[in-house]
Amino acid sequence: MNSTVAQLKNRFQQALVAAFGNDYAEADPMLLPASNPKFGDYQSNAALSLAKKLGQPPRAIAEHIIKHIDVNDICQPPVVAGAGFINFTLKPAYLEAQVNAILADSRLGVATAKNPQRVVVDFSSPNIAKEMHVGHLRSTIIGDCIARILEFRGHDVLRLNHVGDWGTQFGMLIAYLREAYPAALTTQNALDLGDLVALYRQAKQRFDEDEEFKETARQEVVRLQAGAEDARRAWQLLCEQSRREFQQIYDLLDVYLTERGESFYNPLLPAVVEDLDKLGLLVEDSGAKCVFLDGFTNKAGEPLPLIVQKSDGGYNYATTDLAALRYRIQQDGANRIIYVTDAGQTNHFAQVFQVARRACWIPDDVDVVHVTFGLVLGEGGKKLKTRSGETVRLRDLLDEAIASARADIETRLKEDLRQETEEFIDHVATVVGISAVKYADLSQNRNSNYVFSYDKMLALQGNTAPYMLYAYVRTQGISRHQKMASSSASLPVDRNERGDIGFGKLSGNGKVLLQEDTELVLAKHLLQLNEVLSELEVELLPNRLCQYLYELSGKFNKFYEECPVLEAEEPQRTSRLLLCDVTARTLKLGLSLLGIPVLERM
């Protein structure tokens, strides 16, 4: 199904050719949603941009364009306003046809990509032997949302978890555990992850202060890299222990990934160095093998190198990232690679990408993108930390969100004199709590920092997950059979919730008819989903989808308040039920792309 914007742009370009010749076939129609409803639905200022080239006043150009444009099946006659703006107002009949079409479509009018790609999304990426903390929240949630949207658009998405499971830290930890807790190196589940983290801190302190221990740790790294059986066994146990803990959080967040850690690429690192050397890109500097970068300098203004092999023969993160990038292109067949990490890694990835491009490892038809994000802040705008000054554990943050949601639900139930089962309360608290955390993150422009507040994210009003979930519940209240005796005057009865008809039972002959202003406004917004997801596929900004859903909820609530549904006469009654149905389905789809499940009741 062609979007309204695509159709209007196509007709506009045809009019430009008819009015001014083939030289204007590729001219940008500059068509955008109107900033104010009084200007219609869409507005073009192409005439203003063409004035200099055509040597005519913009208004005259606009008048000439509308004489040649044929949009009679879509719009009212276009109107020229001001200095030369062209305003388009969609016809109710056109809107009705479009809404009825998406009602019959399981994808609600959202097209699949014309050229599906193999896309790698690299996100989450915690470190083995360390607990996931608040710093992993944004990468995990944003990465999952991007993957969901690209999958829905028809792309073949490989969700990769590039865990830190290799390097000096393992030599350090294994050396320390041999002394302090040897059972952890031979026995499964001898320690929980919290104990392991505490021991890691002690090992790090010992490594920093004790030269003899530092050398022992380095030797353990050598033994691990050489494949010593006891070292490999210890390493595997540490990885498995962390993996189980990570999975509990991924299950809670409903996130799935394919783990492919740093260790996977370890055998490929020598070839990276060898190939860069053959290409003449390597320079030896103080015993290290480096690639000097264009546009990067140190504080002294000297060219900055990217070290790919240290003076002791070891490798670093950049070497691993270069090997991973090559593998994802050459072996995974990726057309697009998306790295979801904090903005602090911007320079690192810019350097890695530059080296890979200079080595011709990134073909022209492969897109490599670094999706950055800001910090999660505590009250007062400072980094979110515990009272003791430590980074907040992600599991604690999520558990607290669920507990806060549960307390809020129990208070509301008490105020409303409602009785619900423990199972119901547990389920709603988990969905609302986790959804509130996800939505609070995704609704921000990912490039910005944001302040984490349970009170704000759990509010029933405003751009929050509970507000979205409640809007969906409202649509289901219309569909659900409400058996309320008319004598129950003590309880308020919503006029739109006294129905016994499910959306699935609506007549197949029913059609949406748009007569009231709130119906037209809601319909126009429903039809924008395809366009929003198409743009999001390119821009990778999930807050655009959140804003769309928030505005949809507001427009639905206004329609709901001003237009009786079940009390309306036919065919208006069925029409409004269908509008409720398509709104519910759109909310459910949109929220699912954010990783948020809906609730039938709250």
Side-chain angles (χ1 to χ4, degrees), residues 113-290:
K114 290 181 180 178
N115 300 300
Q117 295 179 313
R118 172 73 160 164
V119 184
V120 169
V121 184
D122 177 332
F123 66 104
S124 192
S125 307
N127 290 311
I128 296 296
K130 296 182 183 179
E131 291 175 298
M132 291 180 72
H133 54 78
V134 68
H136 296 107
L137 175 68
R138 302 206 76 183
S139 177
T140 304
I141 290 174
I142 294 169
D144 177 61
C145 178
I146 287 172
R148 287 172 182 263
I149 289 167
L150 294 175
E151 286 161 350
F152 186 68
R153 288 278 293 157
H155 297 289
D156 178 15
V157 178
L158 175 58
R159 300 156 159 257
L160 286 184
N161 198 2
H162 189 82
V163 298
D165 66 348
W166 201 250
T168 304
Q169 70 266 31
F170 286 97
M172 183 175 69
L173 185 56
I174 291 170
Y176 190 77
L177 289 174
R178 285 199 195 283
E179 297 177 9
Y181 215 108
L185 302 177
T186 58
T187 308
Q188 205 169 47
N189 299 324
L191 292 169
D192 66 32
L193 188 57
D195 294 330
L196 199 58
V197 170
L199 289 165
Y200 177 84
R201 288 186 187 133
Q202 294 166 23
K204 181 69 168 67
Q205 184 176 355
R206 181 88 173 274
F207 184 86
D208 292 339
E209 298 172 354
D210 185 339
E211 285 298 324
E212 186 178 341
F213 177 77
K214 184 179 287 188
E215 182 57 33
T216 302
R218 285 172 175 162
Q219 290 305 315
E220 286 290 358
V221 174
V222 173
R223 296 184 73 251
L224 177 60
Q225 291 177 339
E229 189 173 337
D230 62 329
R232 295 286 293 188
R233 170 66 177 160
W235 171 72
Q236 287 170 349
L237 286 172
L238 295 173
C239 290
E240 288 168 6
Q241 178 71 21
S242 296
R243 205 173 280 130
R244 281 191 293 274
E245 297 282 343
F246 297 160
Q247 194 56 49
Q248 290 179 22
I249 292 175
Y250 292 139
D251 289 344
L252 194 57
L253 291 172
D254 189 25
V255 171
Y256 73 88
L257 295 115
T258 298
E259 183 182 306
R260 192 189 284 169
E262 293 172 1
S263 63
F264 178 88
Y265 304 102
N266 197 57
L268 310 177
L269 304 187
V272 169
V273 177
E274 183 182 343
D275 289 357
L276 289 174
D277 197 17
K278 286 179 181 176
L279 291 165
L281 294 175
L282 282 189
V283 175
E284 192 164 310
D285 187 60
S286 301
K289 294 180 178 179
C290 317

Side-chain angles (χ1 to χ4, degrees), residues 49 303 431 476 560:
S49 69
V431 170
Q476 298 313 289
Y560 180 90

Side-chain angles (χ1 to χ4, degrees), residues 407-526:
D408 185 64
I409 291 162
E410 288 175 339
T411 298
R412 293 179 191 281
L413 289 175
K414 193 176 293 185
E415 290 172 352
D416 294 343
L417 303 176
R418 272 176 63 191
Q419 293 288 327
E420 295 290 354
T421 65
E422 280 296 307
E423 183 181 12
F424 173 85
I425 295 171
D426 284 343
H427 175 63
V428 173
T430 300
V431 170
V432 171
I434 298 299
S435 298
V437 170
K438 286 187 175 186
Y439 193 89
D441 193 304
L442 294 170
S443 62
Q444 309 295 319
N445 184 311
R446 58 174 168 76
N447 292 304
S448 304
N449 301 336
Y450 77 96
V451 175
F452 191 94
S453 168
Y454 291 116
D455 289 342
K456 289 180 181 177
M457 65 179 59
L458 289 168
L460 274 174
Q461 297 299 319
N463 193 9
T464 67
Y467 178 74
M468 300 296 126
L469 293 170
Y470 185 67
Y472 180 82
V473 167
R474 247 185 166 180
T475 66
Q476 298 313 289
I478 297 171
S479 176
R480 195 166 46 246
H481 182 192
Q482 299 288 339
K483 290 186 177 179
M484 293 184 178
S486 58
S487 60
S488 300
S490 60
L491 292 176
V493 179
D494 192 309
R495 66 181 181 179
N496 276 336
E497 289 194 351
R498 294 182 302 197
D500 58 357
I501 183 167
F503 291 143
K505 297 178 181 178
L506 293 175
S507 168
N509 296 323
K511 298 289 182 184
V512 168
L513 305 170
L514 304 172
Q515 297 171 345
E516 303 297 326
D517 285 345
T518 53
E519 294 175 319
L520 287 162
V521 168
L522 177 59
K524 289 172 187 177
H525 198 75
L526 286 164

